[in-house]
Amino acid sequence: MPDTLPGKAFGGLAGFMVGAAVGGPVGAIGVGFASVWLGGNVQETTGLHGRAYRIKSHDGTIRIVRSPQQQWSIGDQVQVDDNRLAYLEKQQVSRSK
């Protein structure tokens, strides 16, 4: 799934500041929310988005982890180390052969 969090953050902050300068508190909120949506869409449309993955743990919980440097496929067995994805140790050995 595409990761557009940086675009949303930049768009929201820029829109908040412009909206505040032009329309005061109401403008800041309105333009800020619109800019969050716009920033994420622009980043995804231009292809500059990162990658984020839904990871299902053994207990069934699902969390989203960003992985800008590495690509993963469905079914890869991974572990989360400091909010980064890495192959499981046993899978890493079998891939190197």
Side-chain angles (χ1 to χ4, degrees), residues 6-79:
K8 289 177 181 177
F10 179 76
L13 180 61
F16 179 81
M17 292 189 307
V18 169
V22 174
V26 175
I29 293 170
V31 175
F33 280 125
S35 298
V36 166
W37 175 80
L38 183 62
N41 282 346
V42 167
Q43 187 178 13
E44 186 172 354
T45 302
T46 58
L48 298 174
H49 56 79
R51 290 183 290 279
Y53 297 91
R54 285 189 179 100
I55 306 299
K56 186 174 184 179
S57 66
H58 295 292
D59 63 1
T61 59
I62 294 176
R63 69 188 269 196
I64 296 175
V65 180
R66 298 172 65 202
S67 182
Q69 303 296 325
Q70 178 104 17
Q71 276 191 314
W72 306 92
S73 299
I74 294 174
D76 283 345
Q77 299 295 309
V78 296
Q79 61 190 18

Side-chain angles (χ1 to χ4, degrees), residues 1-14:
M1 79 188 227
D3 176 28
T4 58
L5 186 62
K8 289 177 181 177
F10 179 76
L13 180 61

